[in-house]
Amino acid sequence: MNAGEIAAVFAHAWQTTTRHLQVLEAAGLLTHERAGRMRIYRIERKRLSLVSDWLAHFQNPAKSSKGGLQNAPNKAIDRHQGDATKARIA
């Protein structure tokens, strides 16, 4: 896909899309080739698979030896934010 096609999918400014593409390319998740004045972007599937595996580790805390402990502070923060939201509504 070219940057214009990618930008059309999202509801934000063109500049935001190009910045995100640059970051993803710097991380090795995308590559590009020039076709005239356009850049054609391709996903680096092997690199993306590594990211997917890494994220899956955090989505399944039961598999992690520290999973329960890592999530405990987040639950306390979520409860606190819920109380703050209720206070704003009241």
Side-chain angles (χ1 to χ4, degrees):
M1 294 180 95
N2 67 40
E5 293 169 334
I6 295 168
V9 175
F10 302 101
H12 51 68
W14 165 264
Q15 293 85 359
T16 303
T17 299
T18 57
R19 280 188 218 124
H20 280 87
L21 291 173
Q22 290 171 353
V23 169
L24 292 170
E25 192 168 12
L29 298 174
L30 293 178
T31 58
H32 80 271
E33 68 180 55
R34 289 202 177 263
R37 292 176 39 189
M38 293 187 342
R39 288 182 178 198
I40 306 298
Y41 289 90
R42 287 184 171 64
I43 294 173
E44 289 294 321
R45 293 187 189 278
K46 287 182 183 178
R47 297 281 297 207
L48 191 60
S49 176
L50 291 172
V51 172
S52 179
D53 292 345
W54 181 75
L55 288 172
H57 171 77
F58 295 101
Q59 291 174 340
N60 219 346
K63 289 184 179 180
S64 152
S65 62
K66 298 180 183 178
L69 295 175
Q70 289 174 343
N71 290 332
N74 292 337
K75 289 178 184 175
I77 291 170
D78 290 343
R79 262 182 287 171
H80 177 69
Q81 288 173 346
D83 293 342
T85 303
K86 290 176 189 174
R88 275 185 264 144
I89 295 172

